[in-house]
Amino acid sequence: MDYLSYQDPNNRGGSSKLLIFMGMMLVIFIIMPYIMPQQPQQDQNTQQQTVQQTALQAAETPTVRVTYPIETRSIETDAYNLTLTNAGGGRVESFFIKDPDRYSFHKDFIRSQKPQDNTKGGLLPLETSLKSFGIDNDTQFKTVSDANDHASAQFTYSDPQNLYQFDKTFTATDTPYVIHAKFSLTNRSSQDIADVLAISMYIKQIEGEEPGLFTPGSYVAAKCYSDDKMEYLDATDKNENESFHKSLKWFAVDESYFAIAMNAAYASSCELRNDDGLLKSTLNVPVTLKAGTTSTYEYDIYMGPKESKYLDYFGEDRNLPSIIDYGWMEVLAKPMAWILDKFHDWTGNWGIAIIILTLIVRILLWPVAQKSQLSMMRMSKIAPLMQEIQEKYKDDPATMQQKQLELYKTHKINPFGCLPLLLQMPIFFALYRCIFVTGGLYHAPFVLWIQDLSAPDPFFILPILSVVLLILQQVLTPSTTKNLQQKIMMYSMPAIFGLMMLFLPSGLCLYMVVSSTFSMAQSFYVRRIIAKENDGDNNNNNGSDDVIDVESLSSKDKRAAKRREANT
């Protein structure tokens, strides 16, 4: 170190060494801030930047796994049996409904997402992801609760440095099909954390169970309730994704008769995705953890049938019954489902409830149906006069139309009398939708051979009976057409409709049988009215069949009209 020692002023080399020393000190002074650790700033902006940087670094840092033996815990009540796995941290491995007994026919609700490797979380519902803790869907938690404890299940996870801890506790409640969940997050590090806890559910369309034109199949969807509206993606919405932020109440996955839903407390958004048929519903919960603190998030989870009486228990303010999707027929199907439910509570049998509903519908439509049948029977009665008018004014369409309207008015005929019968079609489709999405009708028995109103008749008795009744209706209802092809079409339509009924739920066939029987009874009543009208006409006619002046026809026209009448 001689070059740093004091030298004689007359020695020029000493001056050079002093300059070198001073230059080195200057360089060290300049670079010192960049090589020495800085003290943390206390202002709010710097703290926020530090939190964001911590979350970003955690997301980019490779996850160090802590592995535990794969174990499951069951929560069992009189109504259900729920199995949770520590692979993925307390995810739903299986769910079976025990009560009512008819729900036991349903297979495991989670069957479409079973992982091939049970050491991983797979695609099971209640996946949690928190990047700052190093937690994703494959993270294994430690099982804490005892295997003999069937009232609750508890899992926990700590990183290798024991800086972060995630505790999950699931507990049975007194409310049917509702499980209480508590998530506790602990930050033992020296830095604050700002992150997003993502909670996801999955469901997938099972091959071979797709809904068809005449088969209900298994309808599946990912849903969330946002801004007082139920939003969803189903299996047909391929590779789509949507995000919702307003007034979130719950998020869920469901199939035709069953659902898993969780309330959306603390959430900032709900995301729905369809990745090539795999449906995913995700709740994003902002998480801010001060250093050395613990935050707790509590949720209610509904796992059960889509019956309003159970869904209401989830909380009226959450409006979980809106998870039942009645489609475009909601305006009719929803009140119809409510009425059926009330009749079922009264009678204890869904088949009897359908019969009562059918009778009420037909009684309400009685005036409309009666006018329609009267118009068709009166139309048949004046068919010869209509032919005369058509022959006389075949070259004058305007006059022909005027004369026909006068004839309709005289005989109190509504030319559009058949149109009111179309009112029954929306009711038919509304009931069709009710049977497919109302949990109460799943495997609901009626009597004798009908033990499942949501499935086709196993012996096809109701579809065949409905065809027979429809054909009898055609026989009892007079027709104004004389065309052979049109007649064949009229009588073949019941057969075509009956072929469709073979694949429809027996509850819908029951509706058609009762409705057709009621219609036949009404036809007999209308025929009595027509018979009385004919008796009155015969007494007041004075030997003349003319009701309105159609003017005299030429001899040639009369002969042509007689030939047409003879041919028909």
Side-chain angles (χ1 to χ4, degrees):
M1 300 295 291
D2 290 341
Y3 64 92
L4 292 178
S5 62
Y6 177 77
Q7 300 292 332
D8 185 272
N10 295 324
N11 186 343
R12 295 185 179 180
S15 299
S16 300
K17 292 178 181 179
L18 181 61
L19 290 173
I20 292 172
F21 173 75
M22 294 178 64
M24 290 177 64
M25 294 297 293
L26 180 63
V27 171
I28 292 172
F29 179 78
I30 293 173
I31 68 173
M32 186 64 70
Y34 298 97
I35 64 176
M36 292 296 291
Q38 297 181 1
Q39 296 296 323
Q41 300 295 323
Q42 298 301 320
D43 63 279
Q44 185 175 359
N45 292 335
T46 305
Q47 284 185 0
Q48 182 66 25
Q49 291 174 1
T50 303
V51 169
Q52 293 175 353
Q53 184 177 4
T54 301
L56 182 61
Q57 289 175 349
E60 296 175 349
T61 301
T63 302
V64 179
R65 300 290 185 190
V66 178
T67 59
Y68 298 97
I70 300 302
E71 295 181 294
T72 60
R73 290 293 182 266
S74 295
I75 298 177
E76 187 170 2
T77 69
D78 293 337
Y80 62 84
N81 190 326
L82 167 67
T83 301
L84 302 167
T85 175
N86 69 325
R91 303 179 70 181
V92 182
E93 184 175 84
S94 65
F95 178 67
F96 295 91
I97 298 179
K98 298 163 54 180
D99 183 63
D101 292 339
R102 56 192 173 83
Y103 285 128
S104 63
F105 289 97
H106 190 270
K107 299 177 182 178
D108 180 9
F109 182 82
I110 317 300
R111 65 192 188 279
S112 69
Q113 299 93 255
K114 294 289 187 181
Q116 294 182 353
D117 183 357
N118 67 352
T119 64
K120 296 183 178 181
L123 298 172
L124 305 178
L126 299 185
E127 168 190 308
T128 52
S129 174
L130 188 61
K131 292 181 178 179
S132 57
F133 277 35
I135 293 175
D136 59 22
N137 65 312
D138 291 331
T139 302
Q140 295 177 9
F141 281 52
K142 179 181 179 181
T143 306
V144 177
S145 55
D146 188 88
N148 296 321
D149 180 7
H150 297 299
S152 65
Q154 186 175 357
F155 307 92
T156 186
Y157 174 82
S158 296
D159 68 296
Q161 291 76 34
N162 199 30
L163 297 176
Y164 312 110
Q165 182 172 327
F166 194 160
D167 296 299
K168 298 182 182 180
T169 303
F170 303 90
T171 308
T173 69
D174 294 333
T175 304
Y177 308 113
V178 175
I179 297 94
H180 185 73
K182 183 169 71 173
F183 299 158
S184 296
L185 306 175
T186 301
N187 175 19
R188 298 192 186 96
S189 71
S190 60
Q191 294 182 318
D192 296 349
I193 291 177
D195 205 347
V196 175
L197 171 64
I199 307 171
S200 300
M201 300 184 190
Y202 296 88
I203 195 166
K204 190 173 184 178
Q205 182 70 66
I206 297 178
E207 188 175 353
E209 294 189 9
E210 298 86 352
L213 182 59
F214 305 118
T215 55
S218 179
Y219 163 84
V220 296
K223 299 178 177 178
C224 71
Y225 193 82
S226 172
D227 201 20
D228 296 326
K229 183 181 180 183
M230 194 270 288
E231 306 286 354
Y232 72 95
L233 290 179
D234 61 28
T236 62
D237 301 317
K238 298 293 185 181
N239 300 317
E240 293 189 20
N241 62 85
E242 297 182 6
S243 182
F244 305 94
H245 306 268
K246 294 183 179 179
S247 302
L248 299 171
K249 295 292 182 65
W250 49 260
F251 74 116
V253 292
D254 73 334
E255 58 179 44
S256 299
Y257 300 107
F258 305 93
I260 296 182
M262 191 169 93
N263 66 302
Y266 322 104
S268 61
S269 67
C270 174
E271 296 180 8
L272 303 179
R273 297 184 65 87
N274 183 339
D275 294 327
D276 194 25
L278 177 65
L279 295 159
K280 179 180 180 182
S281 180
T282 300
L283 193 71
N284 294 313
V285 180
V287 171
T288 301
L289 279 174
K290 298 283 186 180
T293 63
T294 298
S295 293
T296 300
Y297 303 85
E298 299 192 38
Y299 297 93
D300 288 326
I301 305 172
Y302 179 88
M303 299 185 191
K306 288 159 59 175
E307 290 192 54
S308 295
K309 64 181 179 181
Y310 297 125
L311 298 172
D312 282 334
Y313 292 146
F314 197 65
E316 294 183 2
D317 59 321
R318 295 168 182 165
N319 195 20
L320 188 56
S322 62
I323 197 173
I324 303 176
D325 182 14
Y326 296 104
W328 60 279
M329 293 301 302
E330 181 174 10
V331 66
L332 282 176
K334 189 172 182 178
M336 185 178 293
W338 182 85
I339 293 172
L340 280 173
D341 191 58
K342 296 303 179 184
F343 287 153
H344 171 258
D345 291 342
W346 178 39
T347 64
N349 188 294
W350 285 100
I352 297 176
I354 291 175
I355 292 175
I356 296 174
L357 174 67
T358 308
L359 293 176
I360 289 177
V361 168
R362 292 312 308 259
I363 290 172
L364 291 176
L365 292 177
W366 175 283
V368 175
Q370 179 169 308
K371 287 182 180 179
S372 176
Q373 290 189 20
L374 284 171
S375 292
M376 286 188 289
M377 290 185 179
R378 289 166 179 164
M379 186 82 74
S380 176
K381 175 183 174 182
I382 65 170
L385 293 176
M386 288 291 294
Q387 289 181 352
E388 290 185 16
I389 291 175
Q390 291 169 358
E391 185 66 32
K392 178 64 178 178
Y393 302 105
K394 59 183 178 181
D395 297 326
D396 189 357
T399 303
M400 180 192 298
Q401 184 177 13
Q402 180 183 354
K403 295 292 184 180
Q404 287 176 340
L405 292 176
E406 291 177 7
L407 192 60
Y408 291 149
K409 184 177 180 180
T410 301
H411 285 270
K412 300 179 182 180
I413 295 173
N414 180 5
F416 304 103
C418 297
L419 292 181
L421 293 178
L422 296 178
L423 291 174
Q424 297 182 48
M425 295 307 296
I427 297 172
F428 177 85
F429 287 116
L431 180 60
Y432 181 88
R433 188 66 180 178
C434 280
I435 293 174
F436 282 166
V437 299
T438 303
L441 285 162
Y442 176 78
H443 271 276
F446 178 38
V447 293
L448 301 176
W449 73 98
I450 303 297
Q451 294 301 311
D452 184 1
L453 289 167
S454 65
D457 186 333
F459 302 111
F460 309 118
I461 295 175
L462 289 179
I464 293 173
L465 184 58
S466 66
V467 172
V468 172
L469 291 173
L470 287 172
I471 292 176
L472 288 176
Q473 278 185 263
Q474 293 285 5
V475 173
L476 292 174
T477 304
S479 173
T480 59
T481 180
K482 304 299 181 180
N483 186 285
L484 181 60
Q485 291 182 343
Q486 291 181 355
K487 281 190 172 184
I488 293 174
M489 180 63 68
M490 288 175 60
Y491 286 103
S492 63
M493 285 303 295
I496 296 173
F497 190 74
L499 184 63
M500 294 167 50
M501 297 290 287
L502 295 176
F503 306 97
L504 295 179
S506 54
L508 203 60
C509 295
L510 179 62
Y511 168 83
M512 288 302 302
V513 168
V514 176
S515 180
S516 297
T517 303
F518 189 96
S519 182
M520 286 180 57
Q522 189 170 17
S523 294
F524 282 114
Y525 176 75
V526 170
R527 291 172 77 89
R528 291 182 61 184
I529 295 176
I530 294 296
K532 290 181 179 179
E533 288 182 356
N534 291 338
D535 291 341
D537 291 342
N538 292 333
N539 293 332
N540 300 324
N541 198 345
N542 297 324
S544 176
D545 291 333
D546 292 335
V547 179
I548 115 176
D549 182 15
V550 296
E551 300 181 4
S552 298
L553 299 177
S554 66
S555 299
K556 181 179 179 181
D557 291 337
K558 289 180 179 179
R559 288 195 299 271
K562 289 181 179 180
R563 285 196 301 270
R564 284 196 304 274
E565 186 174 357
N567 291 334
T568 57

